[in-house]
Amino acid sequence: QVHLVESGGGSVQAGGSLRLSCEASGIIFSFNVMGWYRQAPGKQRELVASISSDGNTVYADSVKIRSTISRDNAKNTVYLQMNSLKPEDTGVYYCNFAHYGVNSWGKGTLVTVSS
């Protein structure tokens, strides 16, 4: 069982920046993928970005040039730096930990971007 705790959400004006953090604890398998998903009001949860334990990254097209995902394996922590935020980035951001198809989720952190 993996426990995930997110932090760093909040309210920001369009054009601003936020850094989300997610720390994993529990049974951490050496190979895994950690990532961020978001769910906007009335929409399905979608992938924002992910990074594997060996550093491979995947980004949603909508955030690719504005965001950087990184991780500190020694701290079992993943970070998402988001810049030039837009109102459409508003949503609840969930941290995800995946190991060979077994997923764990954080409780989510709310990001609100006002125009």
Side-chain angles (χ1 to χ4, degrees):
Q1 188 74 12
V2 177
H3 182 60
L4 302 171
V5 178
E6 302 113 329
S7 61
S11 297
V12 63
Q13 289 191 327
S17 298
L18 280 176
R19 188 189 194 212
L20 306 181
S21 300
C22 172
E23 181 177 359
S25 61
I27 301 174
I28 308 297
F29 296 100
S30 57
F31 180 78
N32 57 75
V33 178
M34 295 186 73
W36 291 93
Y37 289 70
R38 70 184 176 197
Q39 188 163 18
K43 295 188 177 181
Q44 290 188 329
R45 192 175 298 189
E46 63 177 359
L47 173 69
V48 178
S50 66
I51 182 168
S52 65
S53 47
D54 57 358
N56 292 314
T57 58
V58 175
Y59 292 93
D61 288 343
S62 59
V63 305
K64 187 176 296 184
I65 61 173
R66 301 184 290 120
S67 301
T68 301
I69 190 168
S70 60
R71 61 187 291 165
D72 184 334
N73 288 333
K75 297 181 179 179
N76 293 319
T77 299
V78 63
Y79 307 96
L80 181 66
Q81 176 70 41
M82 300 187 68
N83 303 316
S84 302
L85 285 161
K86 305 176 181 180
E88 50 264 43
D89 293 318
T90 294
V92 179
Y93 283 67
Y94 296 92
C95 181
N96 173 266
F97 179 100
H99 173 73
Y100 290 112
V102 179
N103 287 279
S104 298
W105 296 93
K107 292 183 178 181
T109 184
L110 178 63
V111 172
T112 303
V113 184
S114 57
S115 58

